[in-house]
Amino acid sequence: MIACCLHKYYQSLMKMVYTVCMLTATLETCESASDRCTSSSVSSCNDCLYRGPECGWCFQEDFLVGTALHERCDLVSNLIKKGCISDFIESPLVKVVVNSTSTSSQITPRDVSLHLRPGSEVNFILEVHQLERYPVDMYYLVDVSASMQDNLDKLKSVGFSLSQKMQEFSSDFRLGFGSFVDKPVSPYINAHPPKIMNPCSDYDIQCRPAHGFIHVLSLTENITEFTRVVQQQHISGNMDTPEGGFDAMFQAAVCQSHIGWRKEAKHLLLVMTDQPSHLALDSKLAGIVVPHDGNCHLVNNTYSETANMEHPTIGQLADKLLENSIYSIFAIEGQQYTWYEDLIPLLPGAVVGKLESKASNLNELVVDAYKKLLSEVELQVESLTKGVFVNVTAICPDGSTSPGLKKCGNVKPNEKVLFNIKVGMQECHGLGDEAYIFLKPFGFNETTKVRIQSQCSCRCGSLADHTPGKCLDEVTPSDCENCKCNHTEKTKDDQLPLRNCQADQMQPVCSGRGLCLCGKCLCDQSSLGRIYGEYCEMDGFSCPYYQGLLCGGHGQCISGKCECSSGWEGENCNCSVSTETCLTPDSRICSGRGKCVCGKCQCEDLRSSGQLCELCPTCESLCETDWKCVQCHLFNDFSETKTTQCNTTCSPMVHYVNQIFDSESENFKNCLYPTKEKCHHKFQMVPIFGGKQIRIFRYPECLTEQSYFPTFIMFFILTVVIGVMAIGILKCILMRENHVKGESQLDVYSLSTKKDYFPTANEKTITYRRDRPGEMHIHIHKMPLHDI
């Protein structure tokens, strides 16, 4: 049940992602795109297309006559608004076209065409389906140096048992065999003639001569033949530790016809060795300096260029393994296992397993490696196209995804892996009319071809030579139909269909202000302004102006009348339909004394004035408007049976109440109605249901007569008494100050009459000189204190 739900969820996710990605084309914001398109440096149609995928070029001859050439380049929507007919706009579409006729059981789609412009990006989904059973071709590539004697003996009996195990995964299993040692040149081998023929002569053992690679048996389903061939193999020998494994792997990969690799099968290359391999530059030790040319060189099933060419580089080997969809399985014995572990990330589709003594676990190692290889789906991208980039994101069956991830693991048979492919074109430089990208899941025999068609040039002339509509030589007549149509003779007797040039049958062709060409209106030129529109019905001069703007800047001029935008009205679209500017703080329109016209109050009460008709000195107050109603109810003594008599003067609802609160709020207003007996009645006005309700207090409130003269006399006398008291107190204070001042002057006089007066220790003597005005001397006397 859970597996079923997960499967349905995965299918839904796959469809959703596929739909989104097929419709997605990454573009920049409209504002920045408009800036690029309208650059004043644009001088031609091609230059306009280079600006970005949003830009379009109008090659209509009468478009914006008299303006700069760069005005013809803009966003397509803007060009149409300016009056350019859509058929005369050059703006190739950015799109993805999938060839549905090319089918496949493993990869979908197989053939994709992308139409790209500079700066554009598109997305599409590639689906890879892992089948349950594949035909399998396995080629044994065995190191037959002396140290591999035990493993070679085990291999003589492994063919049948391995084929039995592989039947679980494949019903069509084939085996092949080849051997390698090293380059048969010094210093890799002993160059003494007897040693060349028998490298093991020192040990009284007969060995075969060293060789770079010998193809022994092509792929066959005859297991008996495989066993017979392996049993005939003998060991060899060399001088140094590394072997020539890369030389042999390369020939096994590129010599397709010799090995017998089948296109529909999974290709497994099993390498058995106990030593690392020589690298490319190692060949220079033997004086071999010619780089490997990447070709097959088997003569009589023997690698003929082993002594003449360098070992292939790891990069060359990886490319050929990828090109021919070959998985590599390294069965390594001894301490060199870690060396091959470091090699695995450099070779696509490669795994390494540790071979036990005498290759006792060889069958299990091969089966486990095959299962691991099938559980991994990795996409390889082959592109030599400049100016184009490719980004790949894998969407694994469990729903996991990561940008830039090209590989999914733990993929089970019959499961699907999705790859989101994003392709973008940065520039047209170095890119022809068509370019190709190849997408290939490693180990699969199918490839998706992506054809890129660059939209870098215009079908019609660039107007740089002032000949708009001139077709380019390399453009077919059908592609340049619009250009030719633009050059048809413009006469009033044109017999082309006219119905597409009329808004309706009652209207003249092109509103009587243009010519019908190719079923499209070509508007006349006018010295008064521009004429445009699908039927030449719009212009920029025949409608009323307001403050220097056609239709007040809030509408379009169509057939001589302003068609106002939403929220505006009037002959010249200068009137706003909004009443917000006419509302008083209590949300009344024009204070209830006028109407709002064009956002301004027009006072209907001639006595009122002001911006909101709020000024009206002679108008009744809000309370006075209901005095007649209150008077009617008072005259009838608040009789419920006589309230109908007041209907002529009381439109609102009236209620009699026994209590009215003095405080006011936004929900009601308190009023007074005066009577002749110096009394008044209270009443309230309450808004309700779009109208108002009057609540009249049953009992009047009267003012009693009071005598204010005694109160006035009391306050007058109190004020006089307080004033007299204040004057007396002030006089006493002044007399006391004068008395103290007189006594101090007398003491000074008495002291000055004493002849033996001397300054005290704390006194200063100040002298002035008459001959020098302003000069003053201060003498400070310090004397002991004692009685004088």
Side-chain angles (χ1 to χ4, degrees):
M1 183 67 180
I2 296 177
C4 180
C5 292
L6 289 176
H7 180 67
K8 292 182 178 179
Y9 168 77
Y10 173 73
Q11 289 182 331
S12 301
L13 177 64
M14 180 182 66
K15 292 180 180 179
M16 179 180 66
V17 173
Y18 182 81
T19 302
V20 171
C21 292
M22 287 294 292
L23 298 177
T24 300
T26 306
L27 303 175
E28 294 186 30
T29 61
C30 293
E31 183 177 357
S32 60
S34 179
D35 293 341
R36 290 197 306 268
C37 298
T38 56
S39 172
S40 59
S41 62
V42 176
S43 59
S44 66
C45 179
N46 289 350
D47 191 15
C48 180
L49 297 188
Y50 291 160
R51 295 289 168 172
E54 313 87 353
C55 302
W57 179 268
C58 179
F59 57 84
Q60 183 176 313
E61 291 190 30
D62 64 333
F63 178 70
L64 300 181
V65 176
T67 60
L69 197 61
H70 68 83
E71 293 289 342
R72 291 180 175 271
C73 184
D74 203 338
L75 298 178
V76 174
S77 58
N78 291 343
L79 291 175
I80 295 176
K81 290 179 181 178
K82 292 177 181 179
C84 185
I85 300 173
S86 59
D87 288 345
F88 292 91
I89 295 178
E90 185 80 29
S91 181
L93 294 178
V94 176
K95 59 183 179 179
V96 179
V97 179
V98 177
N99 184 3
S100 57
T101 60
S102 179
T103 59
S104 170
S105 59
Q106 300 180 78
I107 303 176
T108 305
R110 291 288 303 278
D111 191 1
V112 180
S113 294
L114 307 180
H115 298 256
L116 297 178
R117 292 175 56 180
S120 63
E121 297 177 358
V122 293
N123 292 66
F124 66 93
I125 289 294
L126 182 70
E127 180 182 292
V128 179
H129 182 200
Q130 187 74 278
L131 301 181
E132 185 173 2
R133 299 174 71 85
Y134 291 95
V136 176
D137 290 343
M138 177 178 288
Y139 189 81
Y140 279 81
L141 190 58
V142 181
D143 175 9
V144 292
S145 60
S147 59
M148 292 288 292
Q149 177 68 62
D150 293 341
N151 295 326
L152 185 60
D153 293 340
K154 175 65 177 179
L155 188 61
K156 294 176 182 179
S157 61
V158 79
F160 181 78
S161 60
L162 180 60
S163 63
Q164 291 293 108
K165 284 184 174 293
M166 289 298 294
Q167 285 183 0
E168 180 181 351
F169 308 98
S170 174
S171 58
D172 187 359
F173 182 63
R174 295 186 179 186
L175 291 174
F177 185 85
S179 66
F180 69 92
V181 182
D182 207 341
K183 288 184 179 296
V185 294
S186 178
Y188 307 127
I189 66 171
N190 191 331
H192 194 269
K195 292 290 186 180
I196 294 178
M197 298 306 298
N198 181 13
C200 307
S201 58
D202 292 343
Y203 305 97
D204 296 330
I205 300 175
Q206 183 61 42
C207 293
R208 61 194 297 189
H211 52 276
F213 169 65
I214 294 179
H215 169 53
V216 180
L217 178 66
S218 297
L219 292 166
T220 178
E221 56 187 9
N222 189 343
I223 305 302
T224 302
E225 177 65 14
F226 173 81
T227 303
R228 184 188 68 79
V229 169
V230 173
Q231 289 176 347
Q232 293 177 353
Q233 300 304 307
H234 299 282
I235 61 171
S236 181
N238 60 332
M239 295 288 292
D240 63 341
T241 299
E243 315 292 4
F246 286 177
D247 253 346
M249 290 180 65
F250 197 91
Q251 291 302 302
V254 297
C255 298
Q256 295 280 300
S257 60
H258 294 79
I259 306 300
W261 297 114
R262 292 177 295 173
K263 183 178 179 180
E264 69 277 9
K266 290 290 185 182
H267 303 159
L268 303 181
L269 181 60
L270 176 62
V271 181
M272 294 179 59
T273 183
D274 60 352
Q275 299 297 336
S277 176
H278 280 294
L279 302 178
L281 297 181
D282 291 352
S283 306
K284 298 186 183 302
L285 295 174
I288 302 175
V289 296
V290 178
H292 203 290
D293 62 3
N295 297 320
C296 175
H297 295 284
L298 287 185
V299 177
N300 296 326
N301 291 331
T302 301
Y303 179 32
S304 61
E305 297 297 323
T306 181
N308 301 320
M309 287 187 180
E310 290 184 336
H311 294 283
T313 65
I314 295 178
Q316 286 179 308
L317 179 60
D319 288 342
K320 291 303 179 181
L321 292 174
L322 175 62
E323 180 182 336
N324 296 295
S325 303
I326 297 177
Y327 291 110
S328 301
I329 301 175
F330 292 96
I332 308 302
E333 183 183 18
Q335 300 178 353
Q336 302 303 327
Y337 178 81
T338 56
W339 190 90
Y340 284 91
E341 273 190 321
D342 296 336
L343 177 67
I344 294 304
L346 305 179
L347 296 179
V351 294
V352 60
K354 184 173 291 187
L355 193 64
E356 296 179 359
S357 178
K358 296 183 180 181
S360 59
N361 66 328
L362 180 61
N363 290 346
E364 291 77 10
L365 187 153
V366 172
V367 172
D368 292 343
Y370 180 70
K371 291 167 60 177
K372 181 179 180 181
L373 291 172
L374 287 186
S375 68
E376 295 180 348
V377 178
E378 182 176 3
L379 187 68
Q380 302 291 332
V381 179
E382 299 178 13
S383 173
L384 299 177
T385 304
K386 294 182 179 179
V388 174
F389 67 88
V390 182
N391 290 334
V392 179
T393 298
I395 306 173
C396 300
D398 59 359
S400 63
T401 181
S402 178
L405 182 66
K406 300 181 182 180
K407 181 178 180 181
C408 284
N410 298 322
V411 180
K412 299 178 181 179
N414 293 322
E415 286 189 335
K416 296 179 181 180
V417 178
L418 303 181
F419 293 94
N420 181 18
I421 313 297
K422 177 189 289 186
V423 182
M425 188 167 70
Q426 298 168 329
E427 57 183 7
C428 290
H429 178 69
L431 188 63
D433 292 336
E434 285 190 357
Y436 294 92
I437 296 174
F438 296 95
L439 305 175
K440 183 177 182 180
F442 187 82
F444 287 71
N445 54 16
E446 297 177 356
T447 301
T448 295
K449 181 172 67 174
V450 181
R451 181 184 296 104
I452 299 177
Q453 298 181 356
S454 59
Q455 309 290 334
C456 295
S457 60
C458 296
R459 296 172 300 158
C460 300
S462 65
L463 293 176
D465 55 358
H466 303 288
T467 56
K470 178 182 177 182
C471 293
L472 301 177
D473 294 337
E474 63 271 17
V475 180
T476 61
S478 60
D479 290 337
C480 210
E481 179 182 354
N482 289 332
C483 309
K484 293 184 176 182
C485 187
N486 194 26
H487 269 296
T488 56
E489 185 179 359
K490 305 176 180 66
T491 64
K492 294 293 184 180
D493 297 329
D494 195 350
Q495 298 302 315
L496 292 172
L498 302 180
R499 59 180 178 271
N500 291 335
C501 297
Q502 294 175 281
D504 55 64
Q505 294 181 354
M506 302 302 295
Q507 296 293 329
V509 175
C510 298
S511 304
R513 303 193 293 181
L515 299 178
C516 185
L517 299 175
C518 302
K520 299 292 182 180
C521 285
L522 182 64
C523 302
D524 295 337
Q525 301 181 26
S526 174
S527 59
L528 299 177
R530 185 165 67 95
I531 301 175
Y532 62 100
E534 184 178 0
Y535 308 107
C536 301
E537 75 279 11
M538 294 185 286
D539 60 56
F541 54 85
S542 63
C543 290
Y545 283 74
Y546 179 73
Q547 293 182 350
L549 298 176
L550 184 70
C551 297
H554 303 124
Q556 288 185 326
C557 183
I558 300 179
S559 300
K561 294 183 179 180
C562 287
E563 289 198 2
C564 303
S565 303
S566 177
W568 296 89
E569 61 183 3
E571 183 181 6
N572 51 11
C573 301
N574 66 319
C575 292
S576 173
V577 299
S578 174
T579 59
E580 292 183 1
T581 57
C582 299
L583 295 177
T584 60
D586 57 354
S587 299
R588 291 187 301 158
I589 296 178
C590 300
S591 303
R593 303 188 183 103
K595 60 182 180 180
C596 188
V597 179
C598 294
K600 295 182 179 180
C601 284
Q602 289 185 357
C603 301
E604 296 177 332
D605 191 337
L606 299 179
R607 297 173 297 171
S608 61
S609 62
Q611 184 176 0
L612 299 175
C613 303
E614 73 278 10
L615 304 176
C616 187
T618 60
C619 292
E620 294 179 346
S621 66
L622 189 61
C623 290
E624 293 175 356
T625 58
D626 294 313
W627 276 7
K628 291 183 180 180
C629 178
V630 176
Q631 183 182 13
C632 178
H633 286 274
L634 291 176
F635 181 79
N636 290 286
D637 296 328
F638 303 116
S639 173
E640 298 287 349
T641 59
K642 297 181 180 181
T643 55
T644 56
Q645 298 178 5
C646 300
N647 287 341
T648 57
T649 58
C650 293
S651 58
M653 300 174 59
V654 178
H655 294 278
Y656 307 139
V657 296
N658 296 325
Q659 184 178 7
I660 289 181
F661 297 99
D662 292 334
S663 60
E664 292 189 3
S665 70
E666 296 181 354
N667 298 326
F668 58 84
K669 180 175 180 60
N670 291 335
C671 298
L672 298 175
Y673 173 74
T675 60
K676 296 181 180 180
E677 294 79 13
K678 296 183 180 181
C679 298
H680 58 261
H681 278 269
K682 289 184 178 179
F683 65 94
Q684 273 184 349
M685 292 185 296
V686 182
I688 183 172
F689 303 119
K692 61 181 178 180
Q693 181 188 79
I694 296 180
R695 299 173 182 174
I696 304 177
F697 185 49
R698 294 177 180 274
Y699 309 105
E701 294 181 355
C702 299
L703 298 175
T704 57
E705 294 186 357
Q706 297 180 359
S707 177
Y708 296 100
F709 182 74
T711 304
F712 171 76
I713 294 299
M714 182 182 66
F715 277 99
F716 176 76
I717 295 174
L718 182 61
T719 302
V720 172
V721 171
I722 293 174
V724 172
M725 291 177 64
I727 293 173
I729 294 172
L730 180 61
K731 184 175 180 181
C732 291
I733 293 173
L734 293 175
M735 290 177 63
R736 179 175 180 80
E737 288 181 353
N738 291 336
H739 178 71
V740 172
K741 184 177 181 180
E743 288 181 352
S744 62
Q745 289 177 350
L746 182 60
D747 292 339
V748 172
Y749 174 77
S750 60
L751 288 172
S752 63
T753 56
K754 295 183 179 181
K755 296 181 180 180
D756 52 353
Y757 170 77
F758 297 97
T760 65
N762 297 327
E763 293 181 354
K764 300 179 182 178
T765 302
I766 302 175
T767 59
Y768 298 88
R769 293 185 60 175
R770 296 181 181 274
D771 55 341
R772 299 183 181 177
E775 185 175 347
M776 177 178 64
H777 297 274
I778 301 176
H779 302 279
I780 301 177
H781 302 275
K782 295 183 180 180
M783 297 179 63
L785 298 176
H786 58 82
D787 295 334
I788 300 177

